Amino acid sequence: MKLLKATLFTALFATAGLAQADLIANVPLDVSRFEVMDINELTGRANQGNDHAQFYLAKRYQKGEGVAKNSLKAIEWYTRAAKQNVTPAQLNLGIMYARGEGVAVNEQQARYWLERAAKRGDNRASYTLALIDEKQRKLVDAYKWYELAARDGMLNDEVRTKARGKIGQLALNLSSSDVATARNQADSWFQSK
């Protein structure tokens, strides 16, 4: 059952274009140097507590770029960066927990990290939470997350557009009262950040 669940989440995220987040918002322009940095120097900086180095080291371990692919080490480094509020690390960590990549599938941990990323304005996280809730037939909750993902000021225009389409589809299956409830939940959730 866990393997089936992990496979379904992997397929769901892959088709949604949410397989891997990059560090693209609110970072200094010189962060790109971490993408090309020697693995030993990157590891040293990550060990010194540099959150961006931790993120890029995790990403390399997750993808197997310049190092042997190692999901456990990716989880470790994403966790370190996520605890320092690196939003894409929170997103990637949440997706890894949802998929069971390097860890057992853990919806509670997935939601924890995805919600933290969503609170920081990453609509890829809101969209991912919506996909999970929609898959579980929690349509009001899914609508709420799609509503949040579609809001102006969120990170990714492509995700915003997809979310707007999903809102229209879900609205066909919800009462006007359910839609109002979902929008109110989105408003209050977003204001509480």
Side-chain angles (χ1 to χ4, degrees):
M1 181 66 175
K2 284 185 179 181
L3 180 60
L4 176 60
K5 199 174 192 181
T7 303
L8 287 173
F9 277 128
T10 300
L12 185 68
F13 296 139
T15 58
L18 297 171
Q20 172 102 30
D22 287 318
L23 195 58
I24 59 174
N26 302 321
V27 295
L29 294 175
D30 63 346
V31 164
S32 62
R33 73 179 189 276
F34 291 116
E35 287 188 288
V36 295
M37 190 176 284
D38 170 79
I39 192 68
N40 293 324
E41 184 180 356
L42 184 62
T43 302
R45 292 202 183 192
N47 279 320
Q48 291 170 357
N50 183 297
D51 56 351
H52 294 118
Q54 291 168 348
F55 172 81
Y56 281 103
L57 185 59
K59 188 174 163 186
R60 286 199 194 172
Y61 277 119
Q62 186 182 19
K63 289 183 169 187
E65 294 175 346
V67 294
K69 189 174 182 175
N70 186 327
S71 295
L72 288 175
K73 286 190 177 194
I75 288 281
E76 174 189 342
W77 288 109
Y78 277 140
T79 300
R80 289 185 186 194
K83 286 180 177 178
Q84 294 191 68
N85 290 320
V86 176
T87 306
Q90 294 168 340
L91 174 63
N92 287 351
L93 191 56
I95 290 172
M96 289 181 81
Y97 274 109
R99 285 182 183 163
E101 183 181 342
V103 292
V105 171
N106 185 327
E107 184 182 340
Q108 183 179 4
Q109 281 295 304
R111 282 190 177 279
Y112 173 78
W113 290 112
L114 291 168
E115 285 182 13
R116 285 191 65 182
K119 284 265 190 197
R120 296 182 54 80
D122 192 324
N123 64 345
R124 299 168 298 183
S126 301
Y127 191 84
T128 303
L129 286 160
L131 291 172
I132 292 170
D133 284 343
E134 186 176 12
K135 188 75 173 165
Q136 295 174 351
R137 306 295 302 155
K138 298 176 186 174
L139 299 184
V140 172
D141 289 334
Y143 191 101
K144 170 187 79 177
W145 291 115
Y146 285 132
E147 175 76 20
L148 287 167
R151 301 240 169 135
D152 288 336
M154 297 300 274
L155 181 65
N156 188 302
D157 285 333
E158 182 180 338
V159 171
R160 188 177 305 116
T161 300
K162 286 180 184 180
R164 287 181 180 140
K166 295 293 263 179
I167 287 169
Q169 292 171 357
L170 274 183
L172 297 174
N173 297 308
L174 295 172
S175 69
S176 59
S177 174
D178 287 340
V179 169
T181 297
R183 286 183 177 157
N184 287 336
Q185 288 174 353
D187 289 342
S188 64
W189 189 87
F190 206 57
Q191 292 170 358
S192 69
K193 74 176 201 172

